[in-house]
Amino acid sequence: MTTGRRRAVLFATCIVDQLYPTVGLATAELLEQQGVTVEVPPDLLCCGQMAFNAGFRDDAYAVAGRTLEVLRGKGDVVMPSGSCAAMIRHLYHELFAHTPFAGMAADLAHRTYELSEYLVDVLGVTEVGARFNSRITYHDSCHGLRFLGLGAQARALLGRVQGAEVAPLPGCDQCCGFGGLFAVKQHTISTAMLDRKIEAIASTNADLVVTGDVSCMTQIAGGLSRRNLPTRARHLAEVLANMVDAR
């Protein structure tokens, strides 16, 4: 456990809050195990990414502006999502450029972290007491990989999960086809990309495919289910917090 006590805001993200609360609980538990005091502001809602990506910049500005205000002076901000962390770290500067909020956006960007990044690069932790007695494989989410340069951190953490065999995933850096509205607007292309991803996952014979974004997890889980494959999709936080049972 790290010495001293840090304070961090858990920004669970919209989809975690509404659909996968166990991922948020797992994230909080992991941070608290490392001596971090976790705060979850009740009025922290959305980073504005969906509106931004859809081209609704005024709506994104309003939502993200509220996020800036809620997180003002809060210290470290930790997110179980590479895509939402990337929005704050790399796109808030564009959204708030030449506005009175540009300085606040830059400040928040410098203290926002994705979960695996925070554990490994900030807290210096790879061993969190996780155990999973089966084979797992890891899928890199696009935003975490390409915007934040993540991947090694999650693998370092998974490599210390007792009892787990970590199998390389062919094409682990290739998109699963979700991309938010992309999966709706470009359904045919999205489905083709997902089919390729599912074939790669099946080739590993893994019990779990782990990822750091619940959006990718949702897309992949749907593909696995429609093919009646036994592999399950789970978030990294759930595995590290021992919230996934081996079959």
Side-chain angles (χ1 to χ4, degrees), residues 9 41 45 47 76-77 79 81 87 98 102 107 110 114 119 125 131 135 140 185 195 237:
V9 168
L45 302 175
C47 69
D76 299 339
V77 176
M79 312 181 79
S81 167
M87 174 67 187
H98 312 299
D107 171 68
H110 284 120
E114 183 269 349
L119 289 172
V125 173
R131 173 177 290 277
R135 176 179 289 189
D140 294 280
K185 293 184 175 182
D195 287 344

Side-chain angles (χ1 to χ4, degrees), residues 41-60:
D43 47 356
L44 184 58
L45 302 175
C46 177
C47 69
Q49 179 186 189
M50 184 65 77
F52 182 88
N53 290 344
F56 297 103
R57 296 300 174 91
D58 290 344
D59 294 320

Side-chain angles (χ1 to χ4, degrees), residues 219-238:
Q219 171 84 339
I220 291 170
L224 293 168
S225 176
R226 286 188 290 274
R227 292 202 187 189
N228 294 314
L229 295 175
T231 305
R232 297 170 291 165
R234 290 294 186 272
H235 192 278
L236 176 68
E238 296 175 292

Side-chain angles (χ1 to χ4, degrees), residues 25-71:
L25 293 172
T27 301
E29 182 174 316
L30 287 167
L31 295 176
E32 289 173 345
Q33 285 174 353
Q34 303 308 317
V36 177
T37 299
V38 178
E39 177 185 358
V40 184
D43 47 356
L44 184 58
L45 302 175
C46 177
C47 69
Q49 179 186 189
M50 184 65 77
F52 182 88
N53 290 344
F56 297 103
R57 296 300 174 91
D58 290 344
D59 294 320
Y61 184 87
V63 173
R66 177 179 175 82
T67 297
L68 288 180
E69 186 60 39
V70 172
L71 294 175

Side-chain angles (χ1 to χ4, degrees), residues 7 33 58 67 78 123-124 139 178 184 199 207-208 239:
R7 301 186 66 86
Q33 285 174 353
D58 290 344
T67 297
V78 182
L123 301 183
H139 161 73
F178 181 68
V184 177
E199 291 291 341
D207 183 35
L208 287 186
V239 177

Side-chain angles (χ1 to χ4, degrees), residues 19-234:
L19 298 178
Y20 301 105
T22 56
V23 173
L25 293 172
T27 301
E29 182 174 316
L30 287 167
L31 295 176
E32 289 173 345
Q33 285 174 353
Q34 303 308 317
V36 177
T37 299
V38 178
E39 177 185 358
V40 184
D43 47 356
L44 184 58
L45 302 175
C46 177
C47 69
Q49 179 186 189
M50 184 65 77
F52 182 88
N53 290 344
F56 297 103
R57 296 300 174 91
D58 290 344
D59 294 320
Y61 184 87
V63 173
R66 177 179 175 82
T67 297
L68 288 180
E69 186 60 39
V70 172
L71 294 175
R72 183 201 295 261
K74 290 290 188 179
D76 299 339
V77 176
V78 182
M79 312 181 79
S81 167
S83 61
C84 295
M87 174 67 187
I88 293 175
R89 287 256 290 271
H90 293 280
L91 296 176
Y92 268 26
H93 76 90
E94 178 182 338
L95 184 61
F96 293 105
H98 312 299
T99 75
F101 299 104
M104 291 176 62
D107 171 68
L108 179 57
H110 284 120
R111 52 189 173 85
T112 296
Y113 304 91
E114 183 269 349
L115 173 62
S116 69
E117 176 185 36
Y118 194 70
L119 289 172
V120 176
D121 297 343
V122 177
L123 301 183
V125 173
T126 55
E127 171 61 68
V128 296
R131 173 177 290 277
F132 187 78
N133 296 316
S134 192
R135 176 179 289 189
I136 58 181
T137 192
Y138 184 76
H139 161 73
D140 294 280
S141 68
C142 293
H143 284 82
L145 178 67
R146 293 173 174 83
F147 273 87
L148 303 178
L150 304 179
Q153 295 88 342
R155 289 174 175 82
L157 290 160
L158 291 173
R160 300 296 295 274
V161 175
Q162 297 181 39
E165 176 189 354
V166 183
L169 176 63
C172 59
D173 60 341
Q174 296 175 6
C175 182
C176 67
F178 181 68
L181 292 177
F182 174 82
V184 177
K185 293 184 175 182
Q186 302 292 339
H187 175 71
T188 301
I189 299 174
S190 172
T191 300
M193 295 170 75
L194 176 60
D195 287 344
R196 181 173 61 185
K197 180 62 63 175
I198 297 302
E199 291 291 341
I201 293 169
S203 74
T204 68
N205 293 314
D207 183 35
L208 287 186
V209 53
V210 181
T211 186
D213 266 281
V214 292
S215 52
C216 298
M217 186 181 81
T218 301
Q219 171 84 339
I220 291 170
L224 293 168
S225 176
R226 286 188 290 274
R227 292 202 187 189
N228 294 314
L229 295 175
T231 305
R232 297 170 291 165
R234 290 294 186 272

